[in-house]
Amino acid sequence: MKKESIPNPENPETFTGLRRSKPKKVAGGLPAVVSSVQHVLAEMDAARGFKALAQLNQKGGHDCPGCAWPDPDDERSGIAEYCENGAKAIAEEATTKKLTAEFFAQHSVAALAELSDYEIGKKGRVAEPVYLPPGATHYQPISWEDAFVKIANHLNGLASPDEALFYTSGRTSNEAAFLYQLFVRKFGTNNLPDCSNMCHESSGVALNESVGIGKGSVTLEDFYEAEVIIILGQNPGTNHPRMLTALQKAKANGAKIISVNPLKETGLVAFSHPQTLKGMLGIATPLTDVFLQIKINGDMALLKALMLLMLEAEEQNPGSVFALDFIREHTFGAAAYLEHLKKHKLENLAAACGVPLEQIREAANLLISNKKIIACWAMGLTQHKNAVASIQEIVNLLLLKGSIGKPGAGTCPVRGHSNVQGDRTVGINEKPPQAFLDNLERAFGFRPPQKHGYDVVESIRAMHEGKAKVFIAMGGNFLSATPDTNFTAEALRRCDLTVHISTKLNRSHLVHGREALILPCLGRTDLDILNGERQFVTVENSMGVVHSSQGNLPPVSPHLLSEPVIVCRMAKAVFSRQDLQDSQALKADPEKKNPANPVHPVENKNKTSQINWDKYLQHYDHIRDAIESAIPGFEDYNRRVREPGGFYLPNGSRVGKFNTFNGKANFNIAEVPENQLAADEFVMMTIRSHDQFNTTIYGLDDRYRGIFHERRVVLMNARDIEKEGLKDGDVVDLFNHHDGVERVARKFIVVAYDIPEGCMATYFPEANVLVPINDTAEKSGTPVSKGVVVRVRRNAFGNV
């Protein structure tokens, strides 16, 4: 492999020095406080750090750039309304380290590419726009105006708008995301892939089909009324730590918790709240009452086993288990589903999921005897081939119990990024509903493109095949987030232009097209002053609450622009140059089509008069007025979002109204996947470490799992290690041959861990190279990052 091909993550020369301890038994507590302070002070002085933290997740403050867990509707903590990983996110964003033109002059792209993702991220904030000319080795400074002109020239030079891709990260605000999709659709394409395609797309598809809305139905208050909470395929202690506070309160109110996961994660076991006296003294609250350690992708079999036991109890005492009135009045397909369920045998289902039958019975008894049930899930469910069907199986269980559309019950897909749900609400969708397109046309007077665009995987293929030539990313680290790293890297390199609107340097800036731009933007914590007035943006959390976010820190550079301003200025540059070209073309030949955009006749174009980009550059209130004009649920937007805590968007499933094709909540019938493996094959899932949020690596420790100072590890069952003739600490290569292509992740350290036989776990993005581009979830197209079939072989590197 050539060195320029993502060198360090693929084939490191050395390890950083693995240290081990026993996995922790309690999440949170004093260690979380210490870790938070250490990370903040490593990036800035105490005054700046604590100024940022004081307003984090407070009413009128700034929203955490990490996960999308909701804030309490009523009072917020006066000490700290954030978690350890929220503090790490603030440290990462609010750092005073910055990258100027001098930095880029001193460091070539090739040299920076030799660094790990962790090392790249720790360099600091990008402080000014930079440009990489064709064939150049170093990024060089460029003015904002010249950067927008370059983008305009490339976009207007395409044969079709569909040759451009416009990616969005979940950090993007409602205002920026709405303007972005408006610009893209006015340009003429629905190519709006986003990070949701790689995480909760399966949830959206499943829930839309089953209950009529692709969002969860519960609120935070529902957790405090729930009798049973099921947590499937989720690690809240690392990925959504503030959820532990809600679970602790639910336990205090009498709730029982069933946890389903291949790994017995610390955050599922017990929680020590660091803002309470008991927590500071190390006194923890046990969380999980029944832990079901399933095989990877054993969820469907487990859920059917639970419902088969529920059915047995219902048949013994009709009406005592199932919500018969609810089923009769509000659902469709129950009878057919129950007939399907009866065809299965408990023993076979238990074997398929890998959980002893007595443990399944223990969990089923809780479901049988209680009526208010919340089901939570995350990527452990959504990134499988059968993800949509598995999520609909969860809905089946809730429907049988009538546990949706009432207090203390319902669906809870826990989103992984702070505004990924809001971005979809305001139009970041490559497959937009017709009603949304019609509303845009009514509000803005142009006909949006009707053809569906590319999702993430389709976008990668399009770049690879030469069908897409310009790639623009609104935030995110596309290369490190996506599957099949080498394939994706080659796809990006085949572009004429790659553009990244970013706060910090990341891997995607170093694997680029023929030309490349990095456009530095303001972050959540930054003061945003526009025309002399302080601005705020808005976001939507996992439970459908839209609220404000306003930074309070001086930006590290005067050369940063906000995302809404970048979009407006980019749109103005693109459309003004189109208008100039159109005018010239009409003078030359009145019948001629637009030379820059041949699919659009010149005489039908009116690029700037219907969308007043200058108005949106005056004040963000005008952007929110535009959102209100086009999207239901945002009525009186500017007034309501200024109310402390914001407002809830409409949610039919929350109130028992199911906006499906038949007006009912629908049962779904699906088979249990066979998951057959050869004798030397394993199912690998990619996971985060505790020092990580998505592709952002805060540090090299995974404190809860007892793994320190190393990320290239593979967690294996001790019996599997012995069967393969290996031992703990050996260095191995992981590989597979999907679609006849060999993919190899080299030099991983074997770590014996409590994981079911036949299963493995590795961190992403290091193992993304093994995730095949063509292996995606049915219906949703999500990469199957939690169900990768691999083999293992000893690496000649030896032992650690």
Side-chain angles (χ1 to χ4, degrees), residues 318-393:
S320 65
V321 179
F322 292 165
L324 300 181
D325 290 344
F326 175 87
I327 292 170
R328 182 172 55 255
E329 295 174 16
H330 298 289
T331 74
F332 174 80
Y337 176 74
L338 293 176
E339 285 303 310
H340 159 79
L341 197 59
K342 291 176 181 178
K343 298 177 182 178
H344 294 82
K345 294 183 178 180
L346 274 174
E347 294 76 12
N348 295 341
L349 294 171
C353 69
V355 179
L357 189 51
E358 59 270 22
Q359 293 181 16
I360 299 176
R361 290 187 184 278
E362 185 180 4
N365 287 337
L366 292 177
L367 301 172
I368 289 167
S369 58
N370 290 284
K371 297 181 179 180
K372 293 183 177 181
I373 301 166
I374 290 176
C376 309
W377 67 90
M379 262 58 76
L381 258 72
T382 66
Q383 294 179 329
H384 287 290
K385 194 78 173 178
N386 62 319
V388 171
S390 291
I391 294 164
Q392 290 176 327
E393 201 73 17

Side-chain angles (χ1 to χ4, degrees), residues 271-283:
F271 173 55
S272 182
H273 197 322
Q275 294 186 38
T276 65
L277 179 60
K278 286 184 176 180
M280 292 301 289
L281 293 174
I283 302 173

